[in-house]
Amino acid sequence: CACRNIGFENSRGEFIQFFDSDDLMHPSHLEKKVSLLKSHPEFDFVVCQTVPFSGRNEIIGKPANLRSNNVFEDSFLGKVGFVTSTPLWRRHCLVGLDHLFDETLIIGDETEFHARVLLHFRNYGIIEEPLVLRREHGDSTTGRLRGRDARVLSSSLNSRRKIFNTVNSNGAMTDRLADHFRMSAFAHYVRGLSVGSAEIANDAHSFGRELAA
């Protein structure tokens, strides 16, 4: 998170592309994205296919869905496959944010970031080509969430709370989202118990009670 934030603070360009150091981009990745944005001034950002691959350089995933009629909600409901390197942003979409990536989160930071940006900027173009390969391995935060890392699980819960606060404070809550947050609270409660963390289970239970209030 800190590296992305520092990079943005020191950037001067019209377009912003975040990219993780262990991922790979196609040689024409930036060229194709910039070209689409320049030819469509109505687009706030452009996305491309991002395909996961293993440490043994094997493709392990299928192309993600990038199309949505409500990209704000679908970005954190898992209906569209947006990760850090998926969008190329116009700079003006980011400059008005209080902060970019939340450095207190060790997972869920990109989803929480996308929720705050997409609340205001939702018009985008799509390149269906796989122009980014995203490395996945057991030591990644995603891999540890699937395991029994309590710190990662706690960060995941905090990310959901922050997204809920963004939605609620901007009057964007819908029945669909309320159901999602309730299910998320319950899932984190169960996971907290499974990793032996009463603190996480209690936090998730508290989150669920807030949603029921």
Side-chain angles (χ1 to χ4, degrees):
C1 291
C3 292
R4 298 171 194 158
N5 291 337
I6 292 171
F8 179 75
E9 290 172 4
N10 288 278
S11 68
R12 298 292 181 268
E14 178 184 357
F15 307 114
I16 302 296
Q17 174 69 67
F18 297 107
F19 207 83
D20 291 341
S21 60
D22 55 351
D23 296 341
L24 303 173
M25 70 167 66
H26 189 279
S28 62
H29 167 242
L30 293 177
E31 177 184 359
K32 291 185 176 183
K33 282 183 171 178
V34 169
S35 176
L36 187 58
L37 281 180
K38 285 187 173 181
S39 62
H40 290 273
E42 73 275 16
F43 290 161
D44 299 313
F45 62 100
V46 61
V47 298
C48 70
Q49 285 291 344
T50 303
V51 180
F53 73 105
S54 70
R56 293 179 294 179
N57 296 331
E58 297 174 341
I59 301 298
I60 57 175
K62 299 179 180 179
N65 174 53
L66 299 176
R67 300 182 183 277
S68 171
N69 293 322
N70 190 336
V71 69
F72 165 63
E73 292 188 7
D74 287 345
S75 68
F76 55 88
L77 293 179
K79 304 296 184 181
V80 290
F82 288 7
V83 295
T84 306
S85 53
T86 304
L88 174 72
W89 302 96
R90 292 191 190 275
R91 186 180 193 85
H92 75 261
C93 298
L94 309 181
V95 293
L97 296 176
D98 291 337
H99 62 284
L100 294 184
F101 293 91
D102 189 327
E103 296 179 26
T104 67
L105 299 174
I106 58 177
I107 196 170
D109 54 292
E110 61 187 22
T111 307
E112 191 272 336
F113 163 72
H114 286 152
R116 284 185 287 110
V117 182
L118 295 172
L119 180 66
H120 304 289
F121 300 99
R122 309 185 189 187
N123 196 11
Y124 67 106
I126 298 172
I127 299 173
E128 288 288 0
E129 297 177 63
L131 301 178
V132 175
L133 294 178
R134 187 187 195 200
R135 190 184 307 274
E136 289 195 2
H137 45 80
D139 291 333
S140 67
T141 49
T142 303
R144 284 185 280 146
L145 180 60
R146 297 191 183 110
R148 300 178 60 85
D149 192 315
R151 288 180 61 248
V152 174
L153 181 58
S154 178
S155 179
S156 174
L157 176 59
N158 288 337
S159 173
R160 290 293 130 172
R161 276 183 178 273
K162 289 173 183 288
I163 295 171
F164 166 77
N165 290 335
T166 294
V167 172
N168 209 35
S169 63
N170 285 279
M173 188 63 69
T174 63
D175 290 343
R176 180 191 187 208
L177 293 184
D179 286 342
H180 162 76
F181 288 117
R182 282 191 287 267
M183 289 299 296
S184 181
F186 178 72
H188 283 86
Y189 173 77
V190 172
R191 286 181 177 177
L193 294 178
S194 72
V195 301
S197 174
E199 181 179 359
I200 294 174
N202 288 337
D203 284 348
H205 183 258
S206 175
F207 183 29
R209 293 185 64 181
E210 291 173 29
L211 295 168

